[in-house]
Amino acid sequence: MSEAEKIHLFDSWLKESARIVISTHLHPDGDAVGSSCGLASYLKDRGRTVDVVFPDPVPDTLGFAMDPQIKGLTHSVRRDCEKLISEADLLISIDYNRPDRAAELEDAIRASKARKVLIDHHLNPDENFYDLIFSTIEISSSCEVLYGILKKLPDIDGNVPAIGASALKLLMLGMTTDTNNFANSTYPSTLQMASELLAAGVDRQEILSGLYNSYRENRFRFMGEYLSDKLTITPYGLAYAVITTEDLERYDIREGETEGFVNMPLGIAEVRMSIFLRQEGNLFRVSVRSKQGVSANRCATMYFNGGGHENASGGRLAIPQDVESAGAAREYIERSCSDFFSKDELWKSK
Ligand SMILES: [Mn+2]
């Protein structure tokens, strides 16, 4: 199917559907929130019945981007989400590539008889599961994938302001966070989109202030401890840190407040990959970032039950299935990554 045919089909499904539900991945980030709520805002403006379901709540750090009307479309109580999913006749999955990334909502999504659309930018989308897929890898964000679709819908037809101010703001939010404020994954199309959003009146200062100048002090106090005490750098260029529940409690660190920590060690010349573990009950959430030439995706896939993008991936380690105890996590990283880097050298020399 050509791109134009896909957009035509998507447009007709949007118009035919009585109840549209948009879902995104566990631990929603700026791109997940921006793309899911941006699409919801566009649809709401056109009088459609639309809801956004999150496997867990949107962190407070991103709350500023949603006006009350958008907030009213969002749900994160499991029972409510499952009910909405079961009643929907169109499900749109955005910013994730497989149903299991919706965590506790996976079963409801799998059980649904609704048409299923994927809008995403991660590697390896589950091609058998979705009825219609918009997936691009060489792009900044799901917000950019979505923007490309919205612009081509017949009622927009290139008239960007018609997408709606609230939706455009959310799209700018997601492209800003997923590119690390235009430091990574920034393509000509990305800057073109940013330029078009600014021309359409998006207030980028408001977004930057909400994202980067509105944290609580304790985040920075904890960042100090992370950089001075928690971070280990190996001779082969791996930087890693393991943050336990006790660490988080000591500084009263909330969801979203360690955002960006994993990227910091990449500022060191010798560091080629950075791994950040954050304990959550009996599992560790894993973030992996790498410089060009080292595959964060391969590392996350091989050792951390995850994946994502070539240089930015995530995963998880269960305690005690993957690591015996929280205290054993450092040793696990050392072991698996020295193995990974020796193989990585091997792959490169081939
Ligand atoms: Mn994304």
Side-chain angles (χ1 to χ4, degrees), residues 64-81:
F64 75 93
M66 287 189 271
D67 61 42
Q69 220 207 337
I70 304 290
K71 222 169 240 171
L73 304 176
T74 65
H75 312 267
S76 59
V77 175
R78 183 174 174 180
R79 213 165 359 105
D80 300 350
C81 294

Side-chain angles (χ1 to χ4, degrees), residues 31 95 121-122 142 178:
D31 191 30
D95 201 37
H121 68 132
H122 293 87
S142 291
D178 254 28

Side-chain angles (χ1 to χ4, degrees), residues 24-25 29-32 35 94-96 120-122 140-143 174 177-178 309:
T24 188
H25 58 78
D29 55 11
D31 191 30
S35 56
I94 194 156
D95 201 37
Y96 67 111
D120 185 43
H121 68 132
H122 293 87
S140 66
S141 53
S142 291
C143 280
T177 56
D178 254 28
H309 310 289

Side-chain angles (χ1 to χ4, degrees), residues 64-298:
F64 75 93
M66 287 189 271
D67 61 42
Q69 220 207 337
I70 304 290
K71 222 169 240 171
L73 304 176
T74 65
H75 312 267
S76 59
V77 175
R78 183 174 174 180
R79 213 165 359 105
D80 300 350
C81 294
E82 288 173 342
K83 184 165 184 290
L84 287 163
I85 291 168
S86 73
E87 289 168 352
D89 53 359
L90 179 63
L91 288 183
I92 303 172
S93 297
I94 194 156
D95 201 37
Y96 67 111
N97 57 357
R98 306 193 313 248
D100 61 291
R101 304 243 186 236
E104 293 191 329
L105 303 182
E106 176 185 358
D107 291 347
I109 291 172
R110 285 196 184 276
S112 161
K113 299 267 184 291
R115 286 166 167 161
K116 297 179 188 73
V117 178
L118 178 72
I119 299 174
D120 185 43
H121 68 132
H122 293 87
L123 297 165
N124 312 316
D126 184 344
E127 287 176 357
N128 297 320
F129 186 72
Y130 301 97
D131 303 306
L132 180 60
I133 296 182
F134 296 94
S135 172
T136 311
I137 306 305
E138 306 265 297
I139 204 160
S140 66
S141 53
S142 291
C143 280
E144 191 181 330
V145 180
L146 173 62
Y147 179 69
I149 299 167
L150 292 176
K151 255 174 84 174
K152 292 189 195 118
L153 291 178
D155 72 322
I156 302 298
D157 193 24
N159 179 18
V160 175
I163 294 172
S166 174
L168 293 176
K169 174 178 160 180
L170 285 155
L171 293 180
M172 179 67 102
L173 169 84
M175 77 184 310
T176 302
T177 56
D178 254 28
T179 59
N180 221 336
N181 200 6
F182 301 94
N184 323 119
S185 316
T186 300
Y187 298 87
S189 60
T190 312
L191 294 176
Q192 189 179 333
M193 171 177 164
S195 159
E196 290 169 7
L197 295 189
L198 289 178
V202 171
D203 184 350
R204 195 168 125 77
Q205 272 318 315
E206 185 199 345
I207 291 168
L208 292 180
S209 158
L211 280 175
Y212 303 120
N213 301 334
S214 302
Y215 285 113
R216 298 184 307 144
E217 177 183 341
N218 54 346
R219 173 184 192 254
F220 290 87
R221 302 292 177 196
F222 181 54
M223 190 189 290
E225 180 171 328
Y226 160 61
L227 292 172
S228 65
D229 300 341
K230 298 288 179 196
L231 194 64
T232 302
I233 300 173
T234 71
Y236 52 88
L238 170 74
Y240 71 90
V242 176
I243 306 302
T244 62
T245 313
E246 295 89 81
D247 298 325
L248 297 169
E249 279 169 2
R250 201 151 20 90
Y251 286 85
D252 180 33
I253 294 295
R254 299 174 191 163
E255 183 65 34
E257 289 186 327
T258 53
E259 194 66 45
F261 280 29
V262 66
N263 295 303
M264 292 176 172
L266 293 180
I268 301 164
E270 290 75 20
V271 170
R272 298 192 286 159
M273 186 161 78
S274 170
I275 297 181
F276 185 84
L277 265 64
R278 176 177 167 148
Q279 189 183 1
E280 200 166 82
N282 55 359
L283 63 86
F284 280 109
R285 277 160 60 182
V286 183
S287 303
V288 187
R289 299 290 182 273
S290 62
K291 288 182 180 164
Q292 293 274 314
V294 179
S295 176
N297 178 61
R298 193 155 52 205

Side-chain angles (χ1 to χ4, degrees), residues 329-346:
R330 299 177 58 84
E331 206 242 326
Y332 178 86
I333 298 172
E334 288 265 359
R335 194 160 18 90
S336 48
C337 289
S338 70
D339 180 55
F340 173 75
F341 273 91
S342 61
K343 280 199 183 114
D344 208 52
E345 294 304 325
L346 218 77

